[in-house]
Amino acid sequence: MTKAVLIAGTNSGVGKTTVSMGMMAALVKRGLQVQPYKVGPDYIDPSYHTAICKRASRNLDTFMMGAEGVKREVVRTSGESDISVIEGVMGLFDGMDSTEVASSAHVAKSLDVPVILVLNVHGMSRSAAAIVKGYSEFDPDVKVAGVILNKVGSPRHTKMIRDCIPDIPIVGALPRNKEISVPSRHLGLHMAFECEFDTTELACFIEENIDLDTIIEMAREPNTNVYEEKEIPETDLKIGVAMDKAFCFYYAAMFDEFRQNGAEVVFFSPMAGELPDVDGMYFGGGYPELYPCELETSATTKSLKDLSADGMPIYGECGGLQYLSTSYEIDNVVYKMADIFPARTVLTKKLQALGYTEGYAHGAFIKGPVKGHEFHYSVTYCDDDARLTFEMKRGKGIKDGWDGIEEHNSLACYQHAHPVSFPVKAFVDMCREYKRS
C-alpha cells in the first residue's frame, strides 16, 4: 500500500473537488503515480479522477461497503502507486441521516488517514479559527492534519487567518479564480469525457498556492487488515456492459468482480447500435434522457426484447431501467425503448429520489438483503401484472416502497448497487447457465 490523504470540506461547495482534482493533476505533473478515490456513491467526480490519474478511481462508501469493505478496496487497488488521494463528500462529518456512516470522517477513521480540511474564507477572518477548532476537536479520532484556505482575498487576508490558527498548519491558500470551474447540469457535473479537459492550468494553480511537499509528508499508510488478492479464474463467459454517453455510471469495482468470477467484460454502445456476442448484459445509469432519438432507432434497442425472452440475463440500473422499459416520455414526446418490462417511464422536472436504499429482495434474480443508492428525475409506471421484487426498508424505489422489476431472467431497478452489496457471483452464474443452455 501507499500513503494516503483525504481532502474534505467544511460543507459542500467550498472547493474540495477543485482542490482534489488539482492536487491529483499537480502530483501527476510531478511524475507521481496517483491512485484516486471518492467517498460516497458518486460516478461523476471519479470520471475526472480517472482522466487525470490514468488509473481507475474507486468509491469508498461505508454504508454500501462497510468499513472492512473500504479497507479491502484500498489495499486491493492502491498498489504500484506513489500516493493515494481521497476526495471527500459534502461536509467532513455529514453522513447518512444524523450518523457518521458514509461520511468522509467515517472513511478517514476506518483507514486512519489524515484529513486536509478545505475552508472557504470569503468574507471572514478570525471566524475561520473557530470553524477549524470545531472541526478539529469534534471527533478526536478524526485527524485534521492541515487546512487549505479557499477564496482568500489577498496575502494580508491569508496572514490574518494564519495568525489566528497557530495549532494546525495552513498548507494552502487559494486566491479567487473564476476561470477554474466545471459546468453543471441536473445530475451534477458533466462527465469528464463530455468536456474539453485540460488540467495544465489547474495543476499550476495548485502547485503555486498549496504546499504539496508538506501534504506528501503528512500522508500516512492506511491502517487496514491484510488482504490477499484472489487468483483470477480462467474466463469462460462474456458479459456485455453498455458504455457510451447514455450509459456511463459504473463502479470500477463491479468490473473487477465480474472478472474475479470468470467473466470477460465486453463494452459496447447501444447508441451506436452495437450488439456483442455475450452471455449476459449490464446497463448502468447515465443520461438516456439526452439521447432518446438515438436509442429509439438503435438496432440494439430493437434486439433486446427477444434476447430477454430467450432467457439471457440482463440487469439494468436507473438509466438502464428507463431504457429497458416499454417507453420513455420526455417533454411530452413518447419514445419507444427496449420493451423488456411492462412499464413506462416519464422524465420529470423535479427530483424524485436521492439517497441510500436498503431492503430485501424476494425475486428469482436476487434473493436476500440489498443496499444501494438512488438519484433520479423520473417516474416509472408499471402495469398491474409487473413483478416488483425489492421490498424497500429505506428509499423510494419504483412504486409504493418496492423496487426491482423482473421479467424472464431480466431485472432492472432504480437502485445503483456496489459489488460488495450485490450478488455478482449469482448474476455471473446465471450468465454461465444461459451460455450452456
Side-chain angles (χ1 to χ4, degrees), residues 110-177:
S110 298
L111 297 172
D112 192 22
V113 296
V115 172
I116 305 298
L117 185 67
V118 180
L119 171 63
N120 181 349
V121 296
H122 176 66
M124 72 170 69
S125 56
R126 190 165 180 258
S127 297
I131 294 173
V132 172
K133 180 178 176 62
Y135 275 78
S136 63
E137 296 181 1
F138 181 76
D139 186 340
D141 292 330
V142 178
K143 300 174 179 62
V144 178
V147 175
I148 293 175
L149 309 177
N150 193 21
K151 296 190 177 180
V152 298
S154 65
R156 179 174 177 270
H157 186 201
T158 301
K159 184 178 184 306
M160 290 170 58
I161 297 174
R162 283 185 186 275
D163 291 344
C164 295
I165 309 175
D167 299 328
I168 298 179
I170 305 298
V171 293
L174 304 176
R176 299 168 200 165
N177 190 331

Side-chain angles (χ1 to χ4, degrees), residues 34-38 46-47 49-51 53-59 73 77-78 251-253 255-256:
V34 181
Q35 176 56 54
Y37 296 95
K38 172 65 181 178
S47 76
H49 300 172
T50 300
C53 300
K54 303 299 186 289
R55 292 172 67 99
S57 182
R58 307 289 175 151
N59 295 74
E73 184 72 353
T77 59
S78 63
Y251 297 124
F255 305 148
D256 293 342

Side-chain angles (χ1 to χ4, degrees), residues 222-378:
N223 181 17
T224 65
N225 300 327
V226 176
Y227 174 77
E228 295 182 4
E229 184 68 42
K230 298 177 183 177
E231 182 178 350
I232 298 178
E234 183 177 346
T235 299
D236 64 343
L237 75 155
K238 297 179 180 180
I239 295 178
V241 175
M243 183 69 79
D244 56 24
K245 291 181 179 180
F247 305 100
C248 48
F249 289 178
Y250 295 99
Y251 297 124
M254 187 70 85
F255 305 148
D256 293 342
E257 285 300 310
F258 284 159
R259 297 181 182 109
Q260 288 285 353
N261 283 276
E264 176 186 348
V265 175
V266 180
F267 297 108
F268 70 101
S269 170
M271 287 179 59
E274 296 173 354
L275 195 68
D277 182 13
V278 294
D279 309 299
M281 291 188 179
Y282 174 24
F283 293 85
Y287 301 106
E289 68 271 19
L290 299 182
Y291 309 99
C293 294
E294 292 88 340
L295 293 174
E296 182 179 48
T297 59
S298 165
T300 309
T301 308
K302 297 174 182 178
S303 302
L304 291 175
K305 185 171 184 176
D306 287 342
L307 288 174
S308 175
D310 187 53
M312 174 182 282
I314 299 175
Y315 172 58
E317 295 176 333
C318 199
L321 165 67
Q322 297 156 11
Y323 175 59
L324 299 174
S325 296
T326 299
S327 64
Y328 199 176
E329 182 177 328
I330 303 170
D331 294 330
N332 298 317
V333 178
V334 177
Y335 300 89
K336 293 181 179 179
M337 293 289 113
D339 194 24
I340 290 178
F341 302 108
R344 61 185 181 87
T345 298
V346 179
L347 185 68
T348 63
K349 303 294 183 182
K350 180 182 177 182
L351 178 65
Q352 296 297 321
L354 171 61
Y356 287 106
T357 59
E358 185 174 10
Y360 195 91
H362 300 275
F365 192 104
I366 297 177
K367 293 181 180 179
V370 293
K371 283 185 176 181
H373 184 267
E374 59 183 353
F375 182 15
H376 57 93
Y377 280 77
S378 67

Side-chain angles (χ1 to χ4, degrees), residues 18-143:
T18 299
V19 170
S20 299
M21 293 180 186
M23 279 184 53
M24 292 173 190
L27 293 169
V28 168
K29 190 169 182 289
R30 287 186 174 194
L32 299 179
Q33 290 288 324
V34 181
Q35 176 56 54
Y37 296 95
K38 172 65 181 178
V39 178
D42 194 336
Y43 295 105
I44 297 173
D45 286 349
S47 76
Y48 285 85
H49 300 172
T50 300
I52 293 167
C53 300
K54 303 299 186 289
R55 292 172 67 99
S57 182
R58 307 289 175 151
N59 295 74
L60 304 177
D61 189 300
T62 54
F63 172 74
M64 292 194 295
M65 305 168 67
E68 291 303 310
V70 165
K71 292 177 182 180
R72 287 195 298 271
E73 184 72 353
V74 171
V75 173
R76 188 176 66 86
T77 59
S78 63
E80 300 181 1
S81 63
D82 298 309
I83 188 169
S84 296
V85 177
I86 307 168
E87 179 186 346
V89 62
M90 300 175 65
L92 173 58
F93 297 103
D94 297 324
M96 187 175 70
D97 300 330
S98 58
T99 74
E100 69 172 8
V101 175
S103 68
S104 301
H106 199 198
V107 169
K109 287 170 61 173
S110 298
L111 297 172
D112 192 22
V113 296
V115 172
I116 305 298
L117 185 67
V118 180
L119 171 63
N120 181 349
V121 296
H122 176 66
M124 72 170 69
S125 56
R126 190 165 180 258
S127 297
I131 294 173
V132 172
K133 180 178 176 62
Y135 275 78
S136 63
E137 296 181 1
F138 181 76
D139 186 340
D141 292 330
V142 178
K143 300 174 179 62

Side-chain angles (χ1 to χ4, degrees), residues 207-218:
E207 188 77 61
E208 291 169 3
N209 296 287
I210 290 180
D211 187 350
L212 288 179
D213 292 330
T214 295
I215 293 176
I216 291 172
E217 290 178 4
M218 288 177 171

